[in-house]
Amino acid sequence: MDVRSFADLFDRIRQQIATVVIGQNELTIGVIAGMVAQGHVLIEGAPGLGKTLVARTLAVASGCSF
């Protein structure tokens, strides 16, 4: 996969998540980067900020299970 197709794929996943989760762009980009790097991501924050929704939406957008 070349850089251009990777950037397009990354942006499409980010846009799909952004349709469900509003106002969490930095979190969304970080979670996608963690998934691409095959690493771990700790999502911290106050209750009700959509942390679980981000993880669930990322799983659906990327074809993974939650």
Side-chain angles (χ1 to χ4, degrees), residues 13-56:
I13 293 173
R14 186 193 55 74
Q15 288 175 353
Q16 284 182 342
I17 294 172
T19 61
V20 177
V21 181
I22 308 299
Q24 297 284 346
N25 286 336
E26 189 175 327
L27 171 62
T28 302
I29 291 170
V31 172
I32 296 170
M35 182 185 75
V36 169
Q38 297 179 356
H40 298 273
V41 177
L42 177 62
I43 304 173
E44 294 183 310
L49 294 181
K51 299 176 296 290
T52 304
L53 183 60
V54 168
R56 186 179 306 128

